[in-house]
Amino acid sequence: MELIDLAATPEGRHDFVDYLSKICNTLDLDYASYASANPVSGKVVAFTTYPDAWRDHYMQKNLHLSDPTLRSAARSIAPVDWSRLEQTKAFGNVFSQAHDFGLPDIGMTVPIRGPYGEIGLFSVTSRTAPQKWAKLKKHIIADLQLSAVYMHDRVMKSDHLLDILRYPALSAREIEILQWVAVGKSQQDIGDILSISPRTVEVHLRSSREKLSALTTSQAVGRAVSMGLIYPG
Amino acid sequence: MLILVDGINKSKFTTILDDMYKLRARVFQDRMGWDVRVTNGREIDEFDELDPAYVICLDDEYEVVGCARLLQTTGPHMLSDVFYDILDGEPPLRSALIWESTRFCVDRDRLAKGTARNSVSYATCELMAGILEYGKNSGISDIITVIDPVMDRVLKRSDNAPYGYVGKTAQMGKVKALAALCDCTDERINKVRAFAGIEGEIFLDEEIVIAAEQARNPGIMESELHSYCDEQLLCATTERERSDALALKDAITEMLRARRMSDA
């Protein structure tokens, strides 16, 4: 397995590393990384906001082959706090080296499973004290889950073939609800119209937003209109 | 009491997982008549190969008495790949914040009646609370769960009524199945806990469960035999090799049990 750093290529660098930096700023984190293997070509892509020196060292030493924040975390369905991996030998090996580069070992990896069984790994680290980390984690964990899948879907779609495979599959219910949103109905109204609870409406909307890689509902409506899935309101 | 077993720690809990697969065979094939594949008394399907997370319920003697299986809805899961009848051919919900729960069951033969600890009702609520708490602590907002109408009534009775359903109730072999939605909120968790009288931490530390397992199955010889069997299972590349390895494991487990009985 060869680690390909898309951050060094002109088209990848801008969007994805920028996105990671923004997440760090917004959620009060120090560094963020993302890695995944392309399910078709098998190529590994990775982006990071880590300092260049550590990135180069990491790649040169092939640390991705043993790094438990990648290898172990890929086997969880939930975000993995790195404290859970501390006891492994590989953890000591990778993080004693990270320590030499002045990098923290407090962090978490969010594993993402995609529709083709591919796995994306979204990691963040923080320099805060362990007690503060526990609090911060609780506060940002849902945002991190959303950001991780958003980033993963974007990376996968940046591959031409996968982009075609990933045409958003919205259900009739999701389309119906987006259509009601487009004509200006509230979630409560839509729930009443369709005889379902407002939270069920919200769950369908959230699913539609994520399938359309939209961050807001109005963005999702805009995309659905442009794809001809619904009529403009 | 619950133990969370996932792809990271499952090598430490092979006996518990094996007992869970056997429980699932007894419940889903023998009792409920679902169309599931059972090999050597164990119900294992392709989703078990995907490193799901299992919330497993243990009684006070650390015997497996219940379980549920969790998968992300962003990747392959049962509603997308198996239960499409429920969705009437529609694509499933897909969200970073929704997990799917399947294979929820408890051991009615081992658990007592009534509502005290080690009862069917208590274990059911403990499992439900455990799924919701694990989800909530992982940033998950909702669980979509594939259940039969009986389980749907159990949920409603346990002050844990689903807030919504997706798709329709579909015939699955001899029984019906449907997909229900539950929110991973403190409000719901507290209601389930209050209903069953569950207090304090419900998840056990890994170390405690490992120690209890060792106390139940003493002897270095035994653990070596078990790890040999597990290795054989891991190395199996064909169905045939796999079923042979399982048969060997069964035979050895039986032998060791018989030896323990005669020792005692």
Side-chain angles (χ1 to χ4, degrees):
Chain A
M1 191 170 80
E2 194 195 352
L3 189 68
I4 295 171
D5 179 20
L6 267 194
T9 65
E11 69 270 24
R13 176 172 195 101
H14 211 64
D15 276 6
F16 294 130
V17 177
D18 255 18
Y19 182 69
L20 291 173
S21 305
K22 274 184 198 144
I23 288 172
C24 289
N25 290 336
T26 319
L27 302 181
D28 203 12
L29 294 158
D30 288 281
Y31 302 104
S33 308
Y34 166 86
S36 65
N38 183 305
V40 178
S41 66
K43 274 186 192 163
V44 173
V45 293
F47 308 96
T48 182
T49 66
Y50 277 122
D52 290 351
W54 169 247
R55 198 189 67 199
D56 295 344
H57 177 82
Y58 189 95
M59 287 173 68
Q60 197 198 345
K61 298 275 178 190
N62 279 320
L63 291 181
H64 66 287
L65 295 177
S66 61
D67 188 345
T69 68
L70 300 179
R71 306 203 79 76
S72 288
R75 307 195 61 188
S76 169
I77 68 161
V80 179
D81 193 305
W82 291 353
S83 62
R84 197 180 164 196
L85 309 168
E86 259 166 20
Q87 284 159 359
T88 61
K89 221 172 162 188
F91 189 90
N93 179 37
V94 171
F95 281 92
S96 65
Q97 296 179 56
H99 185 80
D100 294 341
F101 284 80
L103 297 170
D105 62 0
I106 285 185
M108 163 163 70
T109 300
V110 183
I112 309 119
R113 306 204 183 165
Y116 302 100
E118 85 280 5
I119 293 176
L121 297 158
F122 186 94
S123 307
V124 296
T125 59
S126 165
R127 290 188 190 283
T128 56
Q131 302 89 323
K132 277 194 176 169
W133 167 245
K135 259 195 198 155
L136 177 68
K137 196 173 84 172
K138 213 172 149 184
H139 183 60
I140 63 175
I141 198 161
D143 282 338
L144 280 180
Q145 291 259 31
L146 286 170
S147 310
V149 171
Y150 180 76
M151 170 102 183
H152 178 76
D153 286 345
R154 280 302 176 95
V155 170
M156 289 297 143
K157 281 170 81 67
S158 68
D159 180 285
H160 186 61
L161 178 61
L162 290 174
D163 186 25
I164 297 166
L165 285 173
R166 277 178 184 254
Y167 192 81
L170 265 62
S171 68
R173 183 56 79 139
E174 285 165 347
I175 292 171
E176 187 177 28
I177 290 172
L178 275 180
Q179 184 66 71
W180 282 117
V181 172
V183 298
K185 295 287 181 204
S186 71
Q187 287 187 22
Q188 184 68 53
D189 291 343
I190 300 171
D192 291 344
I193 294 166
L194 300 175
S195 303
I196 56 178
S197 70
R199 195 174 176 111
T200 307
V201 176
E202 170 54 28
V203 156
H204 283 288
L205 274 177
R206 189 188 304 131
S207 174
S208 314
R209 285 197 298 269
E210 292 185 42
K211 284 176 180 175
L212 293 162
S213 292
L215 294 172
T216 62
T217 300
S218 40
Q219 217 173 28
V221 168
R223 290 206 177 134
V225 168
S226 71
M227 292 169 124
L229 294 169
I230 59 170
Y231 300 102
Chain B
M1 304 166 296
L2 307 173
I3 176 81
L4 183 93
V5 181
D6 65 7
I8 298 178
N9 68 2
K10 71 178 179 190
S11 62
K12 297 180 197 165
F13 300 108
T14 49
T15 315
I16 285 181
L17 276 181
D18 200 47
D19 288 344
M20 179 194 74
Y21 293 135
K22 289 187 199 161
L23 171 64
R24 275 169 35 179
R26 293 200 299 276
V27 171
F28 292 106
Q29 187 180 59
D30 303 349
R31 198 179 82 217
M32 293 167 71
W34 283 27
D35 184 18
V36 290
R37 192 180 69 216
V38 172
T39 316
N40 291 306
R42 292 159 180 86
E43 189 267 307
I44 302 176
D45 70 9
E46 59 268 40
F47 297 95
D48 293 306
E49 317 284 328
L50 298 177
D51 283 334
Y54 303 101
V55 178
I56 300 177
C57 187
L58 306 172
D59 67 10
D60 287 342
E61 285 160 16
Y62 293 89
E63 284 278 355
V64 173
V65 288
C67 61
R69 176 174 72 183
L70 299 169
L71 278 164
Q72 295 170 333
T73 57
T74 51
H77 58 291
M78 291 200 83
L79 269 169
S80 64
D81 300 323
V82 177
F83 288 140
Y84 29 74
D85 280 352
I86 295 175
L87 301 178
D88 232 348
E90 291 284 340
L93 292 167
R94 177 179 190 262
S95 167
L97 303 188
I98 305 174
W99 279 350
E100 178 195 65
S101 162
T102 53
R103 294 291 193 265
F104 188 111
C105 65
V106 293
D107 191 341
R108 283 169 187 277
D109 298 330
R110 189 173 166 89
L111 290 164
K113 290 194 166 57
T115 56
R117 282 179 69 86
N118 300 317
S119 70
V120 170
S121 166
Y122 191 91
T124 305
C125 290
E126 207 171 42
L127 266 179
M128 294 190 297
I131 294 168
L132 297 170
E133 285 180 21
Y134 178 49
K136 181 182 160 256
N137 293 335
S138 306
I140 296 302
S141 67
D142 301 89
I143 302 279
I144 184 154
T145 178
V146 179
I147 51 176
D148 68 341
V150 176
M151 188 64 207
D152 190 38
R153 284 197 292 277
V154 170
L155 286 173
K156 287 174 181 164
R157 263 207 313 271
S158 317
D159 211 1
N160 187 23
Y163 68 77
Y165 299 87
V166 178
K168 55 166 194 182
T169 305
Q171 196 69 37
M172 293 273 146
K174 280 188 249 168
V175 291
K176 290 188 160 77
L178 65 163
L181 288 163
C182 292
D183 48 291
C184 303
T185 54
D186 283 331
E187 192 192 352
R188 183 177 288 271
I189 293 166
N190 292 338
K191 275 187 354 194
V192 178
R193 276 175 167 267
F195 177 83
I198 299 167
E199 278 167 14
E201 178 62 52
I202 40 179
F203 281 99
L204 291 162
D205 270 349
E206 280 185 10
E207 283 68 32
I208 291 173
V209 178
I210 293 167
E213 280 289 297
Q214 274 165 356
R216 276 154 47 102
N217 301 303
I220 299 165
M221 190 57 192
E222 288 196 19
S223 70
E224 278 176 356
L225 276 171
H226 281 305
S227 57
Y228 172 77
C229 292
D230 294 333
E231 246 168 58
Q232 293 292 308
L233 260 177
L234 276 177
C235 295
T237 49
T238 64
E239 258 321 298
R240 177 74 198 273
E241 279 175 18
R242 197 180 155 75
S243 72
D244 284 351
L246 278 172
L248 176 69
K249 187 169 178 169
D250 261 358
I252 288 178
T253 310
E254 256 334 291
M255 192 190 82
L256 292 171
R257 196 166 287 167
R259 197 178 67 184
R260 261 203 310 279
M261 300 274 277
S262 65
D263 285 352

